Amino acid sequence: MGTVVLGTGSCLPEKVLTNLELESIVDTSAEWIKSRTGIESRHIGGKGEKTYQLATQAAQKALDSAGVAAEEIGLIVLGTISSHMLMPSSACFVQKELGAKNAFAYDINAACSGFLYGMDLADKYIKADHAMKVLVIGAETLSSRLNWQDRNTCILFGDGAGAAVLGYSPTDRGIIGSNMHSDGSLWQLLCMHAPESLNPDLVVDGNAGAYIQMEGREVFKHAVRAMADAVSGLLEREKISRESLSLVIPHQANMRILNNLIDRLHIPQSKVFINVSKYGNTSAASIPIALDEAHGSGLIAQGDTILFCSFGGGFTWGATLIKW
Ligand code: ACO
């Protein structure tokens, strides 16, 4: 073990978009959204509000809560699929904004699994270099990447950011293990094309558009099965019983996925942290926002065993266990 969370933070844009307001944007009903997904509202970035700006605010809060100065950070890893630029990375913008001058920084594109992939990476860096402190962030402004005429997708997602500072502790606490997976063969089920080439010679007819596209029912089936398998595999490998888990913080996709996952895992719902009704699916930001809320509300105590699991486009998925 040894890699512990030193502090957490999160940031949600001010504007809240309710299901009722969505009725005037796309052919849907507030009742349909709530009953099918459990989502009641989501936060949406303002005009020009960028992913790195939400990420920077969440990161600063995480640094404050950890009592760590920006200059002490050696690495910034940011999970996102909604950067405002393809180059440089949003992580580099965060590094500049924070004044984290001793950190190298890069983004991870693992969709909703971006934060857990980042934690796994941070764990390996910290185990190799005990002096290293890593800022792991998940941040999205997916409202800028949605087709607001597509009711299959635009009702599901929201914007936000969450962050955690990870460092070494010479104790028996810390990340116990992780169980990460990808399957690129199913990419079409959940994807977002890059913007059209600006070179007219390279433009392909029928470009499918630089917004999220999804086969909802297929994604649902794969998501539940994959997360449940990743969790079971990890618990078995680490010889940890379901009963000994203090809290489960899953990716907040939607209530139907969460309910099915809870059924499959045989874990009481009272042990599962859920906030999807307020924020919708914030992709890479969903786990760190939930972690920060759970931490801030006193739901996590030192020595607790916490389980995380996620699933997203790629497909990417995984589970992580930590002794807090
Ligand atoms: N409002 C009203 N009606 C709708 C809407 C909407 N927003 N969206 C779809 N419908 C209609 C469909 O057109 C369809 O109508 P039809 O039967 O006349 O054709 C009907 O509702 C059922 O549509 P389905 O897509 O089959 O609805 P389903 O019951 O499967 O539920 C849901 C949809 C909740 C999105 C489900 O497929 C799901 O959970 N998928 C996983 C998607 C997800 O969470 N993706 C996020 C990224 S991956 C991740 O984070 C894990």
Side-chain angles (χ1 to χ4, degrees):
M1 295 197 230
T3 302
V4 293
V5 175
L6 301 170
T8 63
S10 59
C11 172
L12 279 309
E14 248 171 59
K15 184 176 161 47
V16 173
L17 180 67
T18 64
N19 289 353
L20 210 55
E21 289 170 283
L22 270 169
E23 287 186 0
S24 61
I25 295 173
V26 70
D27 178 19
T28 190
S29 75
E31 183 43 36
W32 192 97
I33 301 171
K34 190 174 173 211
S35 63
R36 297 294 179 115
T37 70
I39 300 166
E40 295 180 45
S41 60
R42 69 288 290 143
H43 289 246
I44 298 291
K47 199 169 183 179
E49 194 161 22
K50 298 179 177 64
T51 295
Y52 83 84
Q53 293 168 328
L54 298 176
T56 301
Q57 291 187 53
Q60 187 60 60
K61 288 182 189 167
L63 288 171
D64 294 344
S65 115
V68 168
E71 295 80 13
E72 293 178 63
I73 297 296
L75 167 62
I76 299 173
V77 186
L78 197 163
T80 188
I81 51 166
S82 51
S83 282
H84 72 294
M85 295 178 78
L86 289 177
M87 178 187 71
S89 67
S90 286
C92 281
F93 280 100
V94 172
Q95 187 257 358
K96 168 181 83 79
E97 293 293 309
L98 292 175
K101 57 178 195 267
N102 297 311
F104 66 109
Y106 54 90
D107 289 354
I108 297 182
N109 177 339
C112 307
S113 304
F115 184 77
L116 284 197
Y117 273 36
M119 287 238 293
D120 182 48
L121 211 128
D123 183 35
K124 267 92 192 183
Y125 270 107
I126 289 166
K127 280 181 174 144
D129 173 3
H130 291 177
M132 179 71 119
K133 288 193 175 66
V134 183
L135 190 49
V136 183
I137 309 169
E140 304 284 9
T141 46
L142 281 178
S143 60
S144 65
R145 296 282 180 268
L146 293 169
N147 173 0
W148 288 93
Q149 308 305 310
D150 177 12
R151 66 181 185 174
N152 293 303
T153 53
C154 74
I155 56 131
L156 290 171
F157 297 95
D159 300 341
V165 179
L166 273 63
Y168 179 73
S169 164
T171 63
D172 69 339
R173 300 190 296 120
I175 292 179
I176 298 166
S178 56
N179 186 13
M180 296 300 160
H181 299 271
S182 305
D183 183 355
S185 69
L186 298 169
W187 69 269
Q188 294 101 326
L189 298 176
L190 182 56
C191 61
M192 175 165 57
H193 287 255
E196 192 78 87
S197 170
L198 291 177
N199 179 346
D201 295 340
L202 298 179
V203 169
V204 180
D205 280 345
N207 182 302
Y211 46 78
I212 290 182
Q213 296 162 66
M214 181 183 74
E215 297 289 336
R217 284 194 177 175
E218 285 302 310
V219 171
F220 176 89
K221 279 191 282 185
H222 285 283
V224 174
R225 196 180 311 136
M227 278 191 282
D229 287 351
V231 166
S232 302
L234 181 61
L235 292 175
E236 203 171 306
R237 192 185 78 202
E238 301 297 342
K239 300 187 178 34
I240 299 227
S241 70
R242 285 164 165 69
E243 294 69 36
S244 64
L245 295 174
S246 315
L247 189 67
V248 181
I249 303 183
H251 167 50
Q252 309 285 313
N254 67 56
M255 229 22 246
R256 284 173 79 190
I257 290 188
L258 289 169
N259 282 334
N260 274 269
L261 180 65
I262 290 165
D263 285 351
R264 272 192 187 228
L265 290 179
H266 305 295
I267 292 172
Q269 180 150 348
S270 57
K271 282 195 176 182
V272 182
F273 189 85
I274 296 173
N275 63 7
V276 69
S277 67
K278 293 187 287 181
Y279 306 132
N281 180 344
T282 57
S283 182
S286 98
I287 288 182
I289 291 172
L291 172 63
D292 186 46
E293 280 200 349
H295 187 220
S297 1
L299 290 175
I300 305 178
Q302 195 162 310
D304 280 356
T305 304
I306 316 285
L307 169 73
F308 302 94
C309 59
S310 69
F311 181 89
F315 287 144
T316 61
W317 69 96
T320 298
L321 272 168
I322 184 164
K323 186 170 177 196
W324 198 267

